[in-house]
Amino acid sequence: MINIMYFSGKVKDLRKFTNILTNVKGKLICCDIDNTLADVNTQLKKAGYDISKYPNPVLDQDFWTSYEALQMFIKAQKIKNTCKILDVLEELGADIFFATSRDIKLKQLTRKWIDKQGIWNFHEIYFTVSKHILEADVYVEDDPEQISKLLSLGKPVLIPSWQYNQGFDNENAIYFNI
């Protein structure tokens, strides 16, 4: 069955998005997990954390391996619009893999979350804070620091629109609604 893709994002980004769709066959797509594929922000907000700042200074590296954070990872729902985009990209012949800044200690939890969500559990997952070294052709990413680095290298970046990652006015920045 062919998936139908409806673009839900900034009008000025529609042409850039369709250009990716028409040229995606055989391309490598790197998709971030937290707040790109997994809606961790909703869990953070429910717990009273400010999600308007990124990174939130209260949420340091120790927090992300704490019991509280692990529960948030487990409870996070998949972001359906990201999943629809990945489905279409894969159907058009792209090779998709995941990359996350999560601690490598969370590898098993991350894989279980992907399995539970029914998301392409056969794709590779890379644990790195330097996603640009993976040399994908297109990235799907929410982290402003990562986005900035990728755009500086001329990489197209599909950006799930969160309050904290607005303002990238670049020919390779393509926002979509979550």
Side-chain angles (χ1 to χ4, degrees):
M1 183 171 119
I2 295 175
N3 284 304
I4 296 174
M5 181 72 230
Y6 295 97
F7 180 72
S8 178
K10 296 181 178 182
V11 173
K12 70 179 188 136
D13 290 341
L14 178 59
R15 184 177 307 259
K16 295 186 275 188
F17 182 72
T18 47
N19 186 45
I20 286 177
L21 291 178
T22 58
N23 297 301
V24 76
K25 187 173 182 140
K27 302 279 182 166
L28 291 174
I29 311 293
C30 176
C31 183
D32 173 52
I33 295 177
D34 294 323
N35 299 313
T36 300
L37 187 63
D39 186 1
V40 177
N41 276 341
T42 294
Q43 299 304 315
L44 288 167
K45 195 172 182 180
K46 284 180 184 177
Y49 292 100
D50 180 8
I51 63 167
S52 66
K53 294 182 220 155
Y54 192 97
N56 182 321
V58 175
L59 306 175
D60 61 12
Q61 196 61 28
D62 289 336
F63 171 81
W64 292 112
T65 54
S66 71
Y67 178 78
E68 181 182 14
L70 298 179
Q71 292 304 304
M72 289 180 189
F73 289 151
I74 291 167
K75 292 177 184 174
Q77 296 297 306
K78 65 183 175 186
I79 297 176
K80 291 178 182 169
N81 222 11
T82 302
C83 292
K84 287 177 186 177
I85 289 170
L86 294 177
D87 282 342
V88 169
L89 292 172
E90 187 167 59
E91 191 173 285
L92 293 171
D95 294 316
I96 297 168
F97 63 90
F98 301 115
T100 181
S101 297
R102 289 181 181 186
D103 191 299
I104 190 70
K105 295 177 206 168
L106 303 176
K107 184 176 183 177
Q108 187 175 9
L109 179 134
T110 303
R111 180 58 74 190
K112 283 184 178 181
W113 181 87
I114 287 173
D115 290 345
K116 178 182 164 194
Q117 299 297 321
I119 302 172
W120 320 279
N121 60 5
F122 53 90
H123 292 303
E124 292 295 324
I125 303 173
Y126 296 91
F127 291 79
T128 179
V129 294
S130 302
K131 295 176 188 170
H132 66 281
I133 66 171
L134 299 172
E135 297 186 0
D137 298 300
V138 177
Y139 289 82
V140 188
E141 178 65 61
D142 75 301
D143 179 338
E145 188 175 307
Q146 294 283 339
I147 294 167
S148 184
K149 177 67 175 177
L150 295 166
L151 292 174
S152 75
L153 296 171
K155 298 292 185 176
V157 184
L158 298 171
I159 306 168
S161 189
W162 291 101
Q163 181 179 356
Y164 56 79
N165 65 13
Q166 298 301 302
F168 288 100
D169 189 19
N170 181 296
E171 66 184 49
N172 288 320
I174 306 163
Y175 284 92
F176 66 92
N177 297 333
I178 50 172

